[in-house]
Amino acid sequence: MRRCSLAVIAALWVFPLSAQELAAPRLSPFEPASTGGVAVVDRALAKLSNHQRLLIVGAHPDDEDTTLLALVGIGMGGEAAYLSLSRGEGGQNLIGPELGLGLGLIRTGELLAARGVEGTRQYFTRAYDFGYTRSLEETFERWPRDVLLEDAVRAVRRFKPQVIVAIFPGNARAGHGQHQAAGVIAEEVFHRSGEPDLYPELTAAGLPPWQAKMLYRRVWRKSEEATLEFALDPIDPLTGRSMLQLAGASRSMHRSQDMGTLQSLGSRRGGLIWLSGEVANEPTAIFDGVDTDLMAIAELLPSASVRSLARARLREISSLATEARRSLAPMEASASAPALAQIVVGIDTLIEQIEGLESDTV
């Protein structure tokens, strides 16, 4: 059986593969146990209606752009993730005596709690936050660049984003040397994660080369002109809160760093600066130039017959997800059950068929 094809399917699947996973909520560790109800099911179904993946790269916990994570993960119904080079072991702790490794554990938990608010994912490298650094050179003396790149490539190949966003510029404008390193690694992983001969051990482990379509950087200063802007005032109908408010709730999970923030009302916009990749002359949306149909997943399969089968099945699944979302209502949630059951059966059947076709070609 061709491990590469199965790895692509397993790594790219933006939806759960069983009824149990479909219903599993992503809860903050500070919240009591719950099934999640209509909100969790609706979020899962939204991710069956499109194929959008965005990865943000920063240096520490609390560096991430929670507005962008909330917008993609909740507002767009896509998949988003944050890659933090470190776990923040060198920071301050305003809620207890723990420092170093203990603080790293706390801040890891805070990151996971924040991602639970947005329904997004969290990744790390092996870098240990050793405190403030004045330069990029000083940082790379303690953070081996090749190790950071390997870990970042592993995360990119596992998550397979179409868009990568650097939080910081990779130069002295970012200030903190670790921030500069995050900017450098974001650009390097964008340009190199698709190299076929880079880290063959990752390919052998089921993580083949992956090339993102675009690289952006978050607007760093007010004087910078954004390549594209996005509104943060749309309201999430399930919570009644705007993307900006949900981002504030996520940011407030960083309690050890006193990052609590008001969930403000009103209009606000975010901005990104294009750095590299395929993009329209005047992009108006984050995923402009990217095929975001669910069926696009099939294009990564090597066999034409398998691609054709996968496209047809994914088209059916996407249609069922749309139908299920339309019938999903708090007072009559069971009305969507038939479509949900068909989705689970369709996914399981597709995987079995792909495995069967690949076995025949061995």
Side-chain angles (χ1 to χ4, degrees), residues 64-72 118 230 232 243-244 247-248 270:
E64 73 270 32
D65 187 338
T66 56
T67 61
L68 193 52
L69 289 166
L71 179 66
V72 175
E118 311 143 357
F230 45 88
L232 297 169
M243 298 301 108
L244 183 62

Side-chain angles (χ1 to χ4, degrees), residues 197-359:
D197 298 327
L198 184 67
Y199 304 125
E201 64 275 15
L202 294 182
T203 301
L207 297 174
W210 174 260
Q211 180 60 56
K213 297 292 186 182
M214 285 172 285
L215 174 67
Y216 288 101
R217 177 173 60 77
R218 187 182 66 175
V219 170
W220 184 239
R221 294 178 179 174
K222 292 183 179 179
S223 59
E224 293 181 323
E225 183 177 353
T227 305
L228 66 87
E229 294 185 343
F230 45 88
L232 297 169
D233 49 353
I235 302 297
D236 170 38
L238 293 175
T239 62
R241 291 186 285 178
S242 69
M243 298 301 108
L244 183 62
Q245 290 178 303
L246 290 166
S250 171
R251 173 67 59 187
S252 296
M253 291 297 173
H254 293 293
R255 301 180 182 185
S256 65
Q257 304 300 304
D258 194 23
M259 288 290 171
T261 182
L262 294 175
Q263 296 180 32
S264 305
L265 292 169
S267 177
R268 190 177 301 178
R269 299 181 70 80
L272 295 174
I273 297 173
W274 176 85
L275 296 180
S276 188
E278 306 170 13
V279 68
N281 290 332
E282 296 183 2
T284 58
I286 296 168
F287 291 95
D288 270 4
V290 177
D291 185 354
T292 57
D293 286 337
L294 190 67
M295 292 73 76
I297 297 174
E299 299 308 312
L300 297 171
L301 295 167
S303 166
S305 60
V306 177
R307 286 198 300 272
S308 178
L309 170 65
R311 277 196 298 268
R313 284 289 184 184
L314 291 172
R315 187 175 292 107
E316 294 174 6
I317 290 168
S318 179
S319 177
L320 285 168
T322 301
E323 175 190 338
R325 288 192 80 191
R326 287 173 181 166
S327 61
L328 187 63
M331 304 307 293
E332 297 181 359
S334 60
S336 64
L340 292 173
Q342 290 182 62
I343 288 171
V344 173
V345 171
I347 294 171
D348 289 341
T349 301
L350 175 56
I351 292 175
E352 291 175 0
Q353 290 175 326
I354 289 175
E355 290 178 343
L357 287 171
E358 292 190 333
S359 296

